Amino acid sequence: MGFSEAQEELVLRSWKAMKSDSESTALKFFLRIFEIAPGAKQMFSFLRDAGDAPLEKHPKLKAHAVTVFVMACESATQLRSTGDVKVREATLKRLGATHARAGVADAHFEVVKTALLDTIRDAVPDMWTPEMKAAWEEAYDQLAAVIKEEMKNAA
Ligand code: HEM
């Protein structure tokens, strides 16, 4: 089943609405990740080493949150135009290595997906529909699959 123009539009339209407030969206996204999976904190080197500093003070975590959103949007566009997700070779190699080294497992990708979908639902409740959820899910899953594949090569 291909990714339609309507699905791409659902992803891009909702991201556009959230983007104006990307700081707080990113914050909610990563707080939700650690709410679902507190253990995931141990994976972020800069959190492990930072003692009890509040999570919202970590610019790198916010950057991670925004990156996941932006890359999922790019995936939606690629899926619609080529039916496939391609991450630039150098970026992909780094992503594979970073996540393999951090010990990220399939279950963590599921946690991040749930947190992402919860965040979007809460950020744009008026736009949220099962179709929008499915479109984000597909874009995220295909992107995650590409990263997971590269993690095998990096292991
Ligand atoms: C680092 C993207 C999923 C944990 C990074 C970086 C990017 C990124 C761009 C910066 C470093 C680099 O470029 O290698 C993504 C995307 C994801 C995803 C697009 C999903 C589609 C996850 C998941 C986890 C995770 C599921 C685990 C909960 C980490 C950790 C780092 C990292 C621990 C290293 C941070 C540090 O200690 O410096 N990710 N990520 N990521 N990501 Fe992800």
Side-chain angles (χ1 to χ4, degrees):
M1 206 187 68
F3 200 82
S4 69
E5 214 165 294
Q7 287 180 297
E8 181 193 21
E9 198 268 337
L10 287 170
V11 170
L12 298 187
R13 181 155 55 90
S14 49
W15 172 239
K16 201 171 159 202
M18 287 179 270
K19 211 162 112 183
S20 54
D21 202 11
S22 72
E23 277 279 300
S24 100
T25 304
L27 181 67
K28 286 186 190 141
F29 177 32
F30 72 67
L31 290 178
R32 184 89 188 105
I33 292 173
F34 299 135
E35 223 171 80
I36 305 174
K41 266 181 222 169
Q42 294 307 317
M43 295 181 155
F44 289 85
S45 54
F46 50 91
L47 284 183
R48 245 189 345 257
D49 306 338
D52 290 334
L55 282 176
E56 48 274 36
K57 292 263 147 53
H58 286 286
K60 275 197 188 170
L61 272 182
K62 258 184 231 176
H64 188 263
V66 174
T67 306
V68 175
F69 267 112
V70 170
M71 289 184 71
C73 287
E74 286 164 0
S75 295
T77 297
Q78 287 186 349
L79 281 171
R80 191 264 307 145
S81 63
T82 67
D84 208 359
V85 173
K86 287 249 170 1
V87 178
R88 212 163 50 88
E89 186 64 24
T91 309
L92 186 59
K93 276 220 151 51
R94 203 186 60 224
L95 282 173
T98 310
H99 292 90
R101 205 177 332 113
V104 177
D106 286 1
H108 298 110
F109 278 96
E110 288 302 308
V111 167
V112 167
K113 176 165 78 171
T114 303
L116 180 83
L117 296 173
D118 287 355
T119 306
I120 302 163
R121 181 199 60 208
D122 293 349
V124 290
D126 302 346
M127 287 183 191
W128 189 245
T129 57
E131 289 75 25
M132 180 174 279
K133 179 179 183 222
W136 273 102
E137 222 173 338
E138 179 75 7
Y140 176 88
D141 281 345
Q142 300 257 4
L143 172 62
V146 172
I147 298 174
K148 285 190 220 171
E149 194 53 38
E150 186 62 27
M151 284 169 70
K152 282 191 211 150
N153 301 333

